[in-house]
């Protein structure tokens, strides 16, 4: 049985932490599923970590649907959230409902996530009216990169701190059932978490939130040049994969792969095989 909205809300009430990871493909989705992570986010971070773009802005609704379908098909436990890509909800509530409806219907996701605060409360109300569960996302908003200039911690000044608190309250009253808090100081994340009754999920927001999310490739150490303060790498995937590829290259070049045991023969005679392969 998949995790439900009610179970996630109950976790906050009971003080139990919520686990969330991004995923975009079958391999990692199966491993996340096996480890009973509560939620998978099919994030528009796929524009950066899968497609290799410098930001998330180019991701399309079709691409989110494509990756979310894969994640839904290859998991049975986690609650699945699909990101709404840039310009799929910013225009107006009608577009937001139409596009979110398409994502839910075609991909099988359980909810959508949108970036932004107070400005999107009418949009969130319209989505919830259409029976679409919504995760809000405040603090650092990667879809606003052209206004921000660079990815940096938000809410350090009194004015910005108060605006983000206001955003969190508005998201809750509009009907969002959860809020992602990205790249904000610990004190602010703690205050929001104590203020709203819906769960908060942090990324770069400290451990006072109700749960955590990380991009799966970041957690696995897929890129040695990406080392933000908030990230803990649980593996050196870049080195492991690179070493394996390099070993494969050597093996092919010196003919040690495929070895005898990786090869099909017509003959069943061991002696003949040994003499053929030497
Ligand atoms: O797109 C994404 O993966 C996200 C997370 C970083 C929260 O929005």
């Amino acid at each position: 049985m998949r995790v439900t909205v009610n179970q996630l809300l109950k976790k906050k009430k009971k003080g139990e932490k919520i686990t969330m990871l991004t995923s975009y493909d079958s391999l990692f989705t199966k491993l996340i599923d096996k480890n009973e992570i509560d939620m998978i986010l099919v994030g528009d971070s796929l524009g950066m970590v899968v497609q290799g773009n410098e930001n998330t802005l180019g991701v399309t609704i079709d691409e989110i649907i494509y990756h979310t379908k894969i994640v839904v098909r290859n998991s049975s436990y986690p609650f699945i959230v699909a990101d709404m890509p840039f310009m799929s909800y910013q225009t107006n509530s009608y577009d937001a409902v139409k596009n979110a409806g398409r994502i839910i219907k075609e991909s099988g996701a359980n909810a959508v996530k949108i970036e932004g605060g107070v400005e999107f409360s009418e949009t969130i109300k319209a989505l919830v009216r259409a029976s679409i569960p919504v995760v809000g996302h405040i603090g650092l908003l990667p879809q606003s990169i052209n206004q921000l200039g660079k990815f940096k911690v938000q809410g350090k000044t009194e004015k910005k701190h108060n605006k983000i608190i206001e955003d969190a309250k508005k998201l809750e009253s509009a009907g969002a059932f959860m809020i992602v808090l990205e790249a904000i100081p610990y004190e602010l994340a703690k205050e929001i978490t104590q203020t709203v009754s819906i769960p908060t999920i942090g990324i770069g927001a400290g451990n006072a939130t109700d749960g955590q999310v990380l991009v799966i490739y970041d957690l696995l150490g897929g890129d040695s040049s990406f080392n933000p303060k908030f990230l803990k790498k649980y593996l050196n995937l870049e080195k492991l994969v690179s070493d394996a590829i390099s070993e494969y290259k050597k093996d092919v070049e010196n003919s040690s792969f495929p070895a005898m045991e990786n090869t099909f023969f017509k003959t069943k005679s061991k002696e003949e095989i040994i003499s053929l392969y030497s």
Side-chain angles (χ1 to χ4, degrees):
M1 280 285 283
R2 272 194 200 282
V3 171
T4 63
V5 169
N6 275 340
Q7 286 171 322
L8 296 167
L9 297 175
K10 270 190 199 145
K11 277 202 150 195
K12 171 160 181 142
K13 280 209 180 105
K14 289 196 222 156
E16 292 172 9
K17 294 281 184 178
I18 297 168
T19 53
M20 187 189 213
L21 282 171
T22 71
S23 194
Y24 324 92
D25 65 11
S26 62
L27 175 66
F28 290 126
T29 298
K30 283 178 186 161
L31 295 172
I32 291 170
D33 190 51
K34 193 172 155 192
N35 284 285
E36 298 196 340
I37 292 289
D38 296 311
M39 305 177 76
I40 291 181
L41 170 65
V42 185
D44 61 359
S45 49
L46 74 87
M48 298 170 79
V49 296
V50 176
Q51 298 171 340
N53 297 317
E54 66 177 26
N55 60 49
T56 61
L57 302 185
V59 174
T60 66
I61 297 174
D62 285 342
E63 287 164 351
I64 288 288
I65 291 172
Y66 174 86
H67 288 279
T68 308
K69 268 183 170 173
I70 294 172
V71 169
V72 171
R73 193 184 308 133
N74 288 284
S75 64
S76 59
Y77 184 80
F79 184 92
I80 295 168
V81 181
D83 241 346
M84 293 204 63
F86 182 57
M87 281 303 134
S88 67
Y89 60 93
Q90 284 91 343
T91 42
N92 54 55
S93 298
Y94 175 81
D95 287 350
V97 173
K98 199 161 147 265
N99 291 327
R102 214 193 124 203
I103 291 171
I104 298 281
K105 274 174 84 112
E106 293 181 29
S107 74
N110 305 114
V112 295
K113 175 167 81 59
I114 71 170
E115 292 182 15
V118 175
E119 313 76 25
F120 290 99
S121 49
E122 289 311 310
T123 303
I124 293 171
K125 282 183 196 162
L127 289 166
V128 174
R129 232 182 356 255
S131 304
I132 298 173
V134 180
V135 177
H137 180 155
I138 53 178
L140 173 61
L141 307 178
Q143 291 180 11
S144 303
I145 185 64
N146 286 326
Q147 282 177 323
L148 296 170
K150 62 176 183 168
F151 298 121
K152 56 177 182 251
V153 177
Q154 303 292 306
K156 281 186 158 178
T157 64
E158 181 84 12
K159 193 169 164 206
K160 289 209 172 130
H161 176 111
N162 292 338
K163 159 79 168 85
I164 295 174
I165 298 272
E166 206 43 44
D167 283 339
K169 289 186 192 160
K170 274 279 163 18
L171 292 185
E172 177 175 26
S173 61
F177 77 93
M178 173 174 278
I179 310 174
V180 169
L181 304 177
E182 180 163 0
I184 59 171
Y186 172 85
E187 299 89 327
L188 175 54
K190 188 171 182 183
E191 190 176 335
I192 293 170
T193 303
Q194 290 171 344
T195 304
V196 297
S197 64
I198 55 176
T200 59
I201 304 292
I203 174 164
N207 72 357
T209 53
D210 299 307
Q212 297 293 326
V213 59
L214 279 179
V215 169
I216 183 77
Y217 295 113
D218 296 347
L219 166 152
L220 297 174
D223 178 359
S224 59
S225 69
F226 185 62
N227 295 298
K229 183 181 168 108
F230 71 82
L231 177 61
K232 175 174 173 185
K233 294 183 180 177
Y234 288 81
L235 196 70
N236 190 343
L237 186 69
E238 183 184 289
K239 183 170 179 342
L240 287 171
V241 174
S242 180
D243 286 353
I245 292 170
S246 152
E247 208 177 314
Y248 165 77
K249 180 176 189 273
K250 269 191 237 138
D251 283 357
V252 170
E253 285 171 352
N254 68 24
S255 299
S256 58
F257 176 82
M260 212 155 58
E261 58 270 26
N262 311 118
T263 305
F264 304 106
F265 295 94
K266 283 203 275 186
T267 177
K268 285 197 166 68
S269 150
K270 240 187 173 168
E271 292 76 38
E272 213 180 322
I273 288 171
I274 291 167
S275 79
L276 272 172
Y277 228 71
S278 56

